[in-house]
Amino acid sequence: MIGDPAYGLLDDAALVIDGETIVFAGPRAAAPAYDRTTDLGGRLVTPGLIDPHTHLVYGGNRAQEWEARLLGADYAEIARRGGGILATVRATRSAGYEWLLESAHTRLAALCAQGVTTVEIKSGYGLDLDTEIRLLRIARELGRRLPVDVRATFLGAHTIPPEYGTAPNGYVALVCDTMLPAVAAEGLADAVDVFCETIAFSSAQTERILRRATEWGLRVKLHADQLSDGGGAALAARFNALSADHLEYVSAAGIEALARAGTVAVILPGAFYFLRERQAPPVAALRAAGVPVAIATDCNPGTSPLVSPLLALNFACTLLGFTPEDALRGMTCEAARALDLAHDRGTLEPGKLADLAVWDVDHPAELAYALGGNPCHAVYKRGQRVSGADSNETRRGE
Ligand code: NIG
Ligand code: FE
């Protein structure tokens, strides 16, 4: 491995772990005494990756909608005709708990195999009380089944379900007065999200839901300004949101508001790519204003059927102007901030959790560079090796 100060990279380094926690990270020669060693063969070690925005629990898939879009159909138009999110809602409502759990398990295992140790999972394909609760319970169950910490987000306000088609405010009332209290009472969500968009919820409806979430003591985040500038970023900032996500159409005023509030911009390069968007999120302007910029897969069946964090990094660099270093920060320390977890993860330093990804690469730029394949050699979650080869193994070719 070549030391590269740009990544904070150290040659010949050691990590000392006590239980779940890193107690030393630095030059091997300076490491304090320890009683057991694992030689990682000179491989690159990064913090475990953090995917701060997914919708990975759902029924069915939308391959045929994608085919139609390739032939010229429009995402928003499909949604207005009752396809899009609503097609997945139909498939999700009719799928059983076990099937939803198993299919989500497979997707999450793919993320974990590429070094993800913390993931955010949203509900939002149920849109009725029972199904939304089922999706959130599955999200929690996935965190018990796999070596990954799950932050669950209630996205009951993903779109208006068909039974409220002519009375959207009735659905907003259901979200505020029935679903949110039930979700909060069962401790099923760590945050609340709303899709604020012309084809989903207006700013006034979004505001009503965010206010109620805050009353229940839940942090908020927003799908903001993805398809049009609806003032979503400024609204998120006003509620001190953890993150505002997508942001293709965010205005200059929205960027300023995010900077003032310290709200993280979560960029979703998979959705930008898969929808063949023309308008890129203004990443340079966000950075210039001092907004922290994270990256997520947005794993979902409609706009980003992506189960590879490394491809998300690649798309961010190739399509959206990230450097490989900024991209890696986007799925480590900045992603930790987007989930309010920066106090205990996202960097390799004393006091942080020993969530580590070990890579078969010579330089960290290679993580965002390759298209396909998997250079992840091993993963450690809270100090325990959860995947990869046995210890004290030398690297291939050495
Ligand atoms: O993040 N924008 C809204 N929600 C998802 C897409 C949902 C879908 O099309 O199923 C997103 O892009
Ligand atoms: Fe999303």
Side-chain angles (χ1 to χ4, degrees):
M1 165 93 58
I2 311 152
D4 185 338
Y7 289 81
L9 198 58
L10 283 181
D11 259 336
D12 199 18
L15 286 158
V16 180
I17 296 167
D18 184 7
E20 297 194 336
T21 310
I22 297 171
V23 294
F24 171 85
R28 189 154 55 106
Y34 42 80
D35 47 40
R36 198 159 54 84
T37 68
T38 301
D39 181 354
L40 296 172
R43 291 179 176 85
L44 172 70
V45 181
T46 68
L49 299 183
I50 299 173
D51 190 346
H53 179 143
T54 80
H55 313 239
L56 59 75
V57 191
Y58 59 81
N61 71 65
R62 307 238 292 277
Q64 283 163 299
E65 175 186 312
W66 176 66
E67 275 187 319
R69 282 197 291 104
L70 291 175
L71 294 172
D74 173 68
Y75 178 75
E77 191 48 39
I78 292 169
R80 279 188 210 100
R81 292 201 188 127
I85 294 172
L86 289 179
T88 301
V89 169
R90 288 189 288 276
T92 303
R93 286 178 177 178
S94 61
Y97 178 94
E98 281 305 319
W99 191 93
L100 287 169
L101 177 63
E102 291 307 328
S103 59
H105 182 124
T106 302
R107 287 186 278 273
L108 182 53
L111 295 176
C112 294
Q114 285 198 341
V116 170
T117 50
T118 301
V119 68
E120 186 257 15
I121 302 177
K122 302 173 196 297
S123 67
Y125 290 120
L127 310 187
D128 61 36
L129 179 63
D130 286 356
T131 318
E132 286 294 308
I133 296 255
R134 189 182 320 142
L135 298 180
L136 291 169
R137 286 192 183 135
I138 288 172
R140 294 278 190 233
E141 177 61 19
L142 289 166
R144 290 186 285 271
R145 278 186 165 211
L146 284 160
V148 60
D149 289 323
V150 171
R151 302 297 276 180
T153 298
F154 172 57
L155 177 60
H158 200 184
T159 195
I160 314 288
E163 51 281 18
Y164 285 89
T166 54
N169 285 329
Y171 184 63
V172 174
L174 182 77
V175 169
C176 288
D177 302 334
T178 305
M179 291 178 161
L180 248 169
V183 165
E186 226 188 290
L188 282 173
D190 304 299
V192 173
D193 192 351
V194 178
F195 186 16
C196 182
E197 189 55 67
T198 48
I199 56 169
F201 295 87
S202 68
S203 328
Q205 291 166 333
T206 303
E207 185 168 344
R208 203 171 142 195
I209 296 164
L210 296 189
R211 204 174 317 117
R212 186 51 66 90
T214 308
E215 284 164 14
W216 279 99
L218 290 163
R219 295 296 300 269
V220 301
K221 53 179 72 182
L222 224 53
H223 279 71
D225 307 327
Q226 179 186 11
L227 307 170
S228 59
D229 174 19
L235 184 57
R238 199 140 52 78
F239 279 84
N240 192 26
L242 288 169
S243 67
D245 301 29
H246 285 290
L247 299 174
E248 277 80 348
Y249 287 83
V250 66
S251 65
I255 294 173
E256 277 311 310
L258 293 177
R260 270 197 306 276
T263 296
V264 178
V266 176
I267 301 299
L268 304 165
F272 177 82
Y273 161 80
F274 197 69
L275 289 177
R276 299 196 294 172
E277 290 286 351
R278 295 264 179 270
Q279 174 134 346
V283 173
L286 287 161
R287 278 192 208 293
V291 179
V293 182
I295 294 173
T297 62
D298 197 16
C299 175
N300 79 74
T303 67
S304 189
L306 175 61
V307 289
S308 166
L310 301 186
L311 265 183
L313 301 183
N314 179 277
F315 294 162
C317 296
T318 311
L319 303 174
L320 302 179
F322 284 68
T323 65
E325 183 192 3
D326 285 339
L328 186 55
R329 294 173 61 83
M331 289 196 103
T332 51
C333 51
E334 306 296 22
R337 290 173 73 167
L339 297 180
D340 205 17
L341 293 173
H343 58 282
D344 73 2
R345 68 196 72 191
T347 57
L348 300 180
E349 54 186 327
K352 297 270 177 102
L353 287 172
D355 286 359
L356 316 174
V358 184
W359 306 95
D360 257 326
V361 300
D362 290 320
H363 189 275
E366 289 173 54
L367 299 179
Y369 159 79
L371 294 163
N374 184 9
C376 188
H377 173 81
V379 176
Y380 289 74
K381 180 64 191 163
R382 293 178 178 262
Q384 300 293 318
R385 186 171 57 74
V386 292
S387 75
D390 280 342
S391 55
N392 302 317
E393 182 195 306
T394 46
R395 190 167 165 210
R396 282 194 303 274
E398 287 183 352

